[in-house]
Amino acid sequence: MMPHYRVVVACMILAGTLGCGLFSGGSDEFALVPTEVGTPVGDKVTKDIGPAGGTLSSADGRLTLTVPQNAVANTVTFTIQQITNKAANGLGSAYRLEPDGEAFTTPLEISVRYDDKDLEGTVPEALSMAYQDAKGAWHAQRSAKLDQSAKTISFATTHFTDVAAWARLMLRPVEARVRVGRSQSVTLVQCPEPGLIVRLLSRSLDCSALSPNATVDWQLQGAGSLENTSFPSVINYRAPARKPADNIAWVHVKTRFGVWDPQTGETSLIEKTLAARMIIVDVGYKATGSWGGLTWSGTVCDLQKPFNILGQARLLTFIFKFSPSADGASGTTAVGGGGQGVTLHDGAGTYTVSGIDSDNARITLTMESFKGSYPGVGTAEGSGTRYINLVPLDTNECDGQ
């Protein structure tokens, strides 16, 4: 055991200057923990490219493969298959490149275009590329080049496999719907560059919350409050007791992290602020009240999502279907149902919601048409404005919806 110990110690001493040959993948990459492989999404895109070179783009237009002149001696059929992205902090789709296993003496370039949606919860400087090996491990590319003007990340490769764009720093979740009075934890997840011991032991790196001694600065913009936890990279956001008129709150975190220079391989620290969006929603309501013999009933868990309210009168049951606008303050209504031979041919209207910030929330329903068919009698029509009371729930039946 003693000779082996001396070899390891010597290797650790030399690693900082000359390298020891134990770093799998070399200094331009490091391994992340294995995951399952992605599954195909849509159709493959193929193209025959010969010695003259050429380009091929994925079906969604985000990935572009560039084959330089004389990179292949003969015509090769290249394929790009869009797949689900299983990489840690993966952005958008991943891609399967073929011919699988073929090696190229001249590097080919892979470029992925990102958009503003990809940057939710992260920043451009944290973006990188990775490929997945046969054992499922992802190899992060320190040499990946970021072009913020063109919004692309690119790297050179001499072999084909599954590739993906990912973020080394990200808030989780990027967006959450939080019911009034409830809380939501927000975590700053980092995929740091591995240290010397991790490289020496050829371990895969797991993306996780920052260490307990990490320095972060949490701030809140909007309604609600922030509650510290025992871990500085995790914060709890608590929504206010009532849904405010502006129901969007932003949880910001300022932190420092290392960025790589693809030319020199050196790492430098920068300071950036990331943001997660909290959408404050109501805890839920019971529909109550009556109108012209109809008694209202039903549960409304979210005024910003479609919901139904029943109107019942003895043996008749009508279903009022509400389709809200984006802010949930208004929308359209369609009616169906009946009973005892009564058939509703047509029923439509509009509605508004008021009093959400008070104890008198209600729906003002304006029916433009309400026509029913009665056997042996004929038809009846109606219209007008009626009210449905909304009573806040004191149960948890809307939790998880």
Side-chain angles (χ1 to χ4, degrees), residues 7-189:
V7 170
V8 172
V9 171
C11 179
M12 292 175 65
I13 294 173
L14 292 172
T17 56
L18 302 178
C20 197
L22 295 179
F23 300 164
S24 61
S27 60
D28 284 343
E29 64 180 49
F30 59 88
L32 302 172
V33 292
T35 69
E36 61 182 329
V37 298
T39 55
V41 177
D43 298 326
K44 292 182 178 180
V45 176
T46 62
K47 184 177 182 179
D48 293 335
I49 299 178
T55 61
L56 174 63
S57 296
S58 58
D60 61 2
R62 284 169 60 101
L63 181 140
T64 298
L65 168 67
T66 300
V67 181
Q69 188 176 6
N70 297 321
V72 293
N74 302 299
T75 299
V76 176
T77 299
F78 290 91
T79 299
I80 302 175
Q81 171 68 67
Q82 187 177 345
I83 61 175
T84 53
N85 193 342
K86 301 297 183 178
N89 289 352
L91 302 177
S93 295
Y95 302 90
R96 183 161 296 150
L97 306 180
E98 296 176 335
D100 182 30
E102 184 162 338
F104 305 94
T105 55
T106 300
L108 313 185
E109 183 179 89
I110 297 171
S111 177
V112 172
R113 179 173 49 82
Y114 63 89
D115 55 27
D116 293 341
K117 182 70 174 177
D118 296 318
L119 295 179
E120 293 184 353
T122 187
V123 290
E125 292 85 353
L127 305 187
S128 187
M129 294 290 298
Y131 70 84
Q132 191 174 30
D133 65 22
K135 296 182 179 180
W138 289 91
H139 294 259
Q141 300 300 293
R142 299 181 81 252
S143 60
K145 298 179 180 178
L146 172 68
D147 186 335
Q148 294 194 52
S149 297
K151 291 188 175 181
T152 59
I153 326 158
S154 59
F155 76 105
T157 183
T158 56
H159 66 282
F160 277 178
T161 179
D162 293 355
V163 299
W166 64 292
R168 295 183 294 113
L169 194 69
M170 179 171 283
L171 280 180
R172 295 290 191 188
V174 173
E175 178 180 289
R177 301 176 71 84
V178 188
R179 297 194 181 279
V180 291
R182 309 290 174 83
S183 63
Q184 169 69 51
S185 64
V186 181
T187 302
L188 180 60
V189 179

Side-chain angles (χ1 to χ4, degrees), residues 225-270:
S225 61
L226 296 181
E227 302 168 347
N228 292 325
T229 70
S230 58
F231 216 54
S233 58
V234 180
I235 200 80
N236 284 335
Y237 166 76
R238 183 168 294 278
R242 293 186 182 278
K243 179 181 174 182
D246 183 359
N247 69 323
I248 305 296
W250 293 91
V251 176
H252 298 275
V253 61
K254 182 186 295 184
T255 187
R256 302 182 74 191
F257 69 101
V259 293
W260 309 319
D261 186 323
Q263 302 298 327
T264 66
E266 296 179 351
T267 300
S268 59
L269 289 176
I270 64 172

